[in-house]
Amino acid sequence: DDLKTKVDILKKTQVRNPGLAIVQVGDRPDSNSYIKMKLKAAAEIGIDAKHVKLSKETTEMEVIDALESLNQDRSVHGIILQLPLDSNCPINEDLCTNTIDISKDVDGLTEMNRGRLSSGDSSKCIIPCTPKGCLQLIQSTGVTLAGRKAVVVGRSKIVGIPMRDLLLLKNCTVTTCHSKTQKLAEEVRSADIVVVAVGKAGIVTGDMIKPGAVVIDCGINHVTDETTGAKRLVGDVDYESASKVAGFITPVPGGVGPMTVAMLMENTVECFTKSLNPSKLWNLRYLKLNRILPVPSDSEISLAQKPRHIKKIAQEICIPEEMLELYGAYKAKIKLDLLTTGEETKLGNYVLVCGITPTPLGEGKSTTTIGLSQSLSAHLHKATIACIRQPSMGPTFGIKGGAAGGGYSQVMPMDEFNMHLTGDIHAIATAHNLVAAAIDTRIFHESTQSDEALFNRLCPAGVPFPAVMVRRLEKLGIPGRSPAEMGPEERVKFARLNIDPATIMWNRVLDMNDRFLRKATIGQSPTEKNMTRETKWDITVASEIMAVLALSTSLADLKERIGRIVVANSRDNVPVTIDDLGVTGACTALMKEALKPTLMQTLEGSPVLVHAGPFANIAHGNSSIIADQMALRLVGEEGFVCTEAGFGTDIGGEKFFDIKCRYSGLKPNAAVLVCTVRALKMHGGGPAVTPGGKLAAEYCQENLELLEKGLAHLTKQIENVQQFGVPCLVAVNRFHTDTDAELELVCQHARAVGAFDAQVAENWEKGGEGAVGLAESVVRACKEPAQFKFLYELEQPL
């Protein structure tokens, strides 16, 4: 009744019901009976249960395939493999049982669950149903367990061994016996609690039982009645004689059996409930920082810290192994299927890290994002994932450097993060340059071909229109028909894009700074028939394909967005899109792997999702929607996701709120505004800050007057955040040149003008420990009711 009430409540608040799958091989009558009983109980409680029945000819691999399919089925929260397996083929039952995802192992029989119970870690495992039911029956008698002598007769992995472990955890003194134990009667007679699970009728009799003892009979035996010759069900304990001596005893049938089924239902509901808040299942091991003063270079710090294998981190934050695609030992892409496995999960707290308008040197948004996530996870023990952009190798090999954070708040390995990563930017460059090649090739062929030849080249005889051409026909308003049915005017209208070379806005790209490609002439080969034109190369991350990658929510969405991109105008001033060029599908195919976020780790071992890297001055400047959605599901309702917006809050922050959140449907809980004393002094009228140049004395010495003038900029950026209805916290990223008086002035001012709180962040020097105050404030802020809103509606005119 309690379970039914609980399930009824869950049904009212969740998008789906608890789900149970029972896998049976063969057609054993006893198994059929047990399964029928389980299905009936599930129906009565409100659990969606299904019976997966496999034939006697089923092979071991087919059983494993069936179980792996159920592991990935988001509607299934509990899986039972009905034992014994009744197959004509040899099957390793242990191998099959261990295929079950441990978070769905409602029978508690996988090696991982049994091992955790045996090691005393019962809070992190699913307890086998029969022992769990036996323990509840024992506790229902009111007998105090601590210090009692208990005897478990039986040593099976299903009942005997886990029963022993459970009683030990309750501080009983436990002896394990079995059918071969000598002087069994003496051992049993000494016990206050007796649990029997041997499968041998009447192995324990009344004269073996201590008066007043609690006796739990788990045996199920079919015996022939000597009087009637009929079959009847009896336990391992001779009930007639034992019931006269025992203080409490369970009958067979009607005792342990129904309780086992009840525990199975309870485990299923518990697994469903845990799936709604996956962070409760996290078992993340953090790394210790060995800090040195003065702080070494970023590369020295990164090389000195040994990363953990990314498979271990994924396992500990509940990412199934089949969702990973490893790129070496420290990076792994995550399949998009993970987004559909946790649709019913309540999302975590969504925290934006943005900044004031920075100096050319940067003010540490990435460092603060990583430091804050390290603090929330490794120090406050909150399930936390940082979501950041992938760096371009242009800035990496320029003055600005990489984007892994800095000091003791970094993503590692730093070199792998900053260079190539998993090849996403190369995929973008290839897709982008394919479009560039298609533009010039189309201009060339339209200039050198007759109308008929051009149409026949695009539409060979007898070949129907592919989907991309059908879309172009619809755009042109030409009724659906085959190529042979089109008239001459329709053919010309369809085949000729008439691109005006002067309007081409799609330059080729390269992920590197190369000043000699800022202006170039292409088409100088004799084969191009003097069709030269001036163009230039952009950096890859400036590609619009990068921007739409970050805003896409699926492969289909990415394809649609790529197809809509305008690359030029026709001579009639009609926009020409990638879809018009007919290369949408090819570009999407090149981007298929790039759509998957990459899992890495911080110096303290907390997880990071790295994905996409659009600039904020020409695009929206945020990491991907997909990475944020994955992270929010993984951390669960009580967890935190720290995502970063590029440039100042008035650029990257505004685009996060108005563009990214609009397309994703996600609502932020709080925003952290990063500032520095150095940048505020610059905004107060300080000398120019030049990359590679020496900092002026004003930035290296205390100057409260100059700093106070710059606080107006901080005030305005706080107001910018508050316009969106979310709490704004200020993080003052401390530099060694900052004085306590300067830092205190900034914090006091921020609080006075309406910031939720202001904290000095020292995570560059101290790692997560240096951002504990900020992290605690973030936790408090996320408990406040946020009234998130957009600044404008899409229907409003410019």
Side-chain angles (χ1 to χ4, degrees):
D1 289 341
D2 291 342
L3 271 178
K4 187 178 187 308
T5 301
K6 187 173 183 179
V7 170
D8 287 341
I9 293 170
L10 287 169
K11 283 182 175 182
K12 293 176 183 177
T13 58
Q14 305 304 325
V15 296
R16 59 167 52 93
N17 300 337
L20 173 66
I22 304 171
V23 179
Q24 179 186 11
V25 179
D27 197 36
R28 283 175 60 111
D30 55 346
S31 292
N32 291 337
S33 176
Y34 300 147
I35 291 170
K36 185 178 180 181
M37 186 165 52
K38 293 168 184 175
L39 293 173
K40 181 183 177 184
E44 289 174 351
I45 292 171
I47 293 172
D48 293 340
K50 60 182 175 181
H51 182 194
V52 180
K53 193 167 186 176
L54 306 175
S55 74
K56 280 192 172 188
E57 304 308 315
T58 301
T59 64
E60 182 177 272
M61 201 64 242
E62 288 170 334
V63 175
I64 289 172
D65 287 345
L67 292 170
E68 287 181 340
S69 176
L70 292 170
N71 284 342
Q72 297 181 44
D73 188 339
R74 65 182 184 272
S75 68
V76 173
H77 307 96
I79 302 171
I80 301 168
L81 181 61
Q82 187 68 43
L83 301 176
L85 302 180
D86 181 24
S87 175
N88 293 331
C89 303
I91 298 180
N92 184 326
E93 291 186 353
D94 286 341
L95 179 64
C96 293
T97 300
N98 287 314
T99 300
I100 299 172
D101 185 326
I102 61 169
S103 67
K104 297 185 176 186
D105 174 27
V106 288
D107 256 344
L109 298 181
T110 60
E111 288 178 355
M112 182 66 75
N113 272 319
R114 289 190 287 120
R116 286 177 177 174
L117 177 59
S118 184
S119 67
D121 195 5
S122 61
S123 63
K124 296 282 178 58
C125 72
I126 299 172
I127 299 171
C129 302
T130 300
K132 185 177 182 180
C134 291
L135 183 62
Q136 288 207 14
L137 287 168
I138 295 168
Q139 291 175 320
S140 70
T141 67
V143 172
T144 302
L145 294 178
R148 296 283 185 171
K149 173 72 182 293
V151 168
V152 178
V153 184
R155 53 185 172 182
S156 73
K157 66 181 181 183
I158 297 174
V159 182
I161 294 174
M163 191 72 244
R164 173 203 67 191
D165 296 334
L166 281 176
L167 289 169
L168 283 171
L169 288 173
K170 294 298 180 181
N171 298 309
C172 291
T173 301
V174 185
T175 300
T176 302
C177 300
H178 44 81
S179 59
K180 300 293 189 291
T181 299
Q182 295 184 8
K183 297 182 179 179
L184 179 62
E186 291 183 19
E187 294 289 352
V188 173
R189 197 175 293 115
S190 67
D192 303 304
I193 300 164
V194 181
V195 181
V196 190
V198 180
K200 187 173 180 181
I203 191 173
V204 173
T205 57
D207 61 346
M208 299 168 63
I209 295 171
K210 181 179 181 179
V214 175
V215 180
I216 307 296
D217 188 355
C218 304
I220 300 175
N221 306 283
H222 294 274
V223 298
T224 303
D225 191 292
E226 294 178 357
T227 305
T228 64
K231 293 279 187 179
R232 63 188 180 92
L233 198 64
V234 299
D236 290 350
V237 178
D238 179 55
Y239 185 81
E240 186 176 347
S241 62
S243 61
K244 297 173 182 177
V245 184
F248 301 91
I249 187 170
T250 58
V252 177
V256 172
M259 197 65 177
T260 297
V261 174
M263 293 302 100
L264 173 61
M265 300 302 121
E266 183 173 274
N267 282 352
T268 302
V269 174
E270 286 179 1
C271 288
F272 173 69
T273 305
K274 286 179 180 178
S275 75
L276 302 177
N277 192 2
S279 65
K280 289 187 179 296
L281 300 173
W282 280 32
N283 187 32
L284 189 59
R285 289 172 50 209
Y286 300 106
L287 295 172
K288 181 182 178 182
L289 288 178
N290 296 308
R291 302 199 306 253
I292 300 173
L293 287 176
V295 177
S297 69
D298 291 349
S299 60
E300 288 175 313
I301 292 172
S302 180
L303 291 170
Q305 185 75 316
K306 174 68 175 175
R308 299 184 63 215
H309 200 292
I310 204 66
K311 278 178 63 176
K312 289 288 186 184
I313 290 177
Q315 181 185 43
E316 290 167 5
I317 64 172
C318 301
I319 299 177
E321 188 173 347
E322 61 268 18
M323 293 292 177
L324 293 181
E325 294 176 356
L326 295 177
Y327 283 68
Y330 308 124
K331 306 186 297 290
K333 278 193 169 292
I334 305 177
K335 296 179 183 177
L336 300 190
D337 292 343
L338 189 70
L339 284 171
T340 60
T341 60
E343 286 181 330
E344 69 275 14
T345 303
K346 291 187 177 180
L347 303 183
N349 295 285
Y350 197 24
V351 180
L352 171 68
V353 179
C354 51
I356 65 170
T357 303
T359 69
L361 304 179
E363 309 315 308
K365 287 192 304 297
S366 298
T367 302
T368 303
T369 302
I370 300 303
L372 174 59
S373 68
Q374 288 179 172
S375 183
L376 285 165
S377 53
H379 298 269
L380 299 191
H381 303 293
K382 306 288 186 183
T384 305
I385 297 176
C387 291
I388 61 175
R389 293 175 292 168
Q390 177 182 351
S392 163
M393 285 192 288
T396 295
F397 288 104
I399 291 175
K400 193 168 186 293
Y408 287 104
S409 295
Q410 291 188 53
V411 180
M412 65 172 179
M414 186 186 80
D415 56 337
E416 294 185 21
F417 173 83
N418 283 320
M419 296 185 292
H420 302 295
L421 196 66
T422 48
D424 292 357
I425 291 180
H426 299 309
I428 292 166
T430 304
H432 182 107
N433 290 334
L434 171 66
V435 176
I439 293 169
D440 287 307
T441 299
R442 189 61 171 263
I443 293 172
F444 176 85
H445 284 300
E446 288 189 23
S447 300
T448 57
Q449 303 271 329
S450 67
D451 293 341
E452 189 67 20
L454 182 63
F455 183 84
N456 290 336
R457 184 180 288 269
L458 288 170
C459 308
V463 178
F465 284 124
V468 66
M469 290 187 175
V470 172
R471 292 196 296 272
R472 175 157 172 77
L473 288 170
E474 292 171 350
K475 176 181 177 181
L476 295 171
I478 299 174
R481 61 186 66 189
S482 68
E485 295 172 325
M486 294 176 66
E489 289 186 7
E490 290 177 334
R491 290 188 171 205
V492 172
K493 188 177 181 182
F494 171 79
R496 291 198 176 275
L497 299 179
N498 287 322
I499 295 172
D500 181 356
T503 68
I504 295 172
M505 57 192 84
W506 197 263
N507 303 315
R508 286 164 173 80
V509 295
L510 176 74
D511 191 38
M512 194 61 62
N513 294 339
D514 189 342
R515 65 186 306 120
F516 285 90
L517 292 177
R518 292 174 181 172
K519 186 176 182 180
T521 302
I522 61 172
Q524 295 192 25
S525 169
T527 57
E528 310 317 310
K529 301 181 180 180
N530 294 320
M531 293 185 62
T532 61
R533 70 178 180 91
E534 282 190 356
T535 185
K536 66 176 182 175
W537 267 251
D538 292 323
I539 198 161
T540 301
V541 290
S543 170
E544 192 169 345
I545 292 178
M546 171 65 89
V548 300
L549 168 68
L551 290 174
S552 297
T553 55
S554 66
L555 188 63
D557 185 32
L558 175 64
K559 183 177 181 180
E560 185 179 341
R561 290 176 182 276
I562 289 175
R564 293 201 306 258
I565 294 175
V566 175
V567 298
N569 288 335
S570 71
R571 295 185 186 278
D572 297 323
N573 206 32
V574 175
V576 177
T577 66
I578 291 179
D579 229 23
D580 291 326
L581 290 166
V583 295
T584 304
C587 289
T588 307
L590 288 168
M591 292 293 296
K592 181 168 66 73
E593 297 304 311
L595 195 58
K596 303 168 186 174
T598 299
L599 178 66
M600 295 189 75
Q601 63 192 287
T602 68
L603 290 171
E604 296 191 54
S606 58
V608 180
L609 287 181
V610 187
H611 200 209
F615 288 154
N617 55 341
I618 56 170
H620 64 290
N622 285 262
S623 62
S624 77
I625 287 174
I626 285 176
D628 287 2
Q629 288 176 331
M630 277 188 181
L632 287 165
R633 282 179 167 81
L634 284 168
V635 301
E637 186 177 11
E638 297 175 12
F640 293 81
V641 170
C642 302
T643 191
E644 178 193 357
F647 285 69
T649 297
D650 50 330
I651 302 180
E654 184 274 329
K655 292 172 181 177
F656 167 82
F657 292 122
D658 274 324
I659 297 176
K660 185 177 180 181
C661 290
R662 193 187 303 270
Y663 283 121
S664 70
L666 300 173
K667 296 181 179 180
N669 298 87
V672 174
L673 179 64
V674 180
C675 69
T676 62
V677 169
R678 178 180 68 190
L680 290 172
K681 287 180 177 178
M682 184 189 75
H683 292 304
V689 177
T690 306
K694 185 179 179 180
L695 278 176
E698 286 87 343
Y699 300 113
C700 303
Q701 300 169 3
E702 184 174 290
N703 191 327
L704 297 177
E705 182 181 354
L706 183 61
L707 174 61
E708 192 162 9
K709 291 178 181 178
L711 290 175
H713 179 84
L714 177 61
T715 301
K716 183 57 183 174
Q717 295 287 29
I718 293 171
E719 291 173 357
N720 286 338
V721 173
Q722 290 174 330
Q723 287 183 84
F724 295 95
V726 297
C728 177
L729 301 96
V730 172
V732 189
N733 185 22
R734 181 168 198 160
F735 284 52
H736 72 279
T737 52
D738 300 340
T739 67
D740 290 343
E742 290 175 326
L743 295 168
E744 182 60 25
L745 176 61
V746 176
C747 289
Q748 285 183 354
H749 177 83
R751 296 186 190 108
V753 298
F756 180 88
D757 195 10
Q759 293 284 337
V760 176
E762 299 181 276
N763 47 277
W764 178 83
E765 178 185 332
K766 299 178 181 179
E769 182 184 336
V772 168
L774 175 63
E776 290 174 339
S777 293
V778 166
V779 173
R780 291 199 309 274
C782 288
K783 293 178 181 177
E784 296 290 316
Q787 304 296 327
F788 174 66
K789 60 184 179 182
F790 302 120
L791 286 194
Y792 56 86
E793 296 303 325
L794 295 180
E795 295 76 21
Q796 290 179 238
L798 291 175

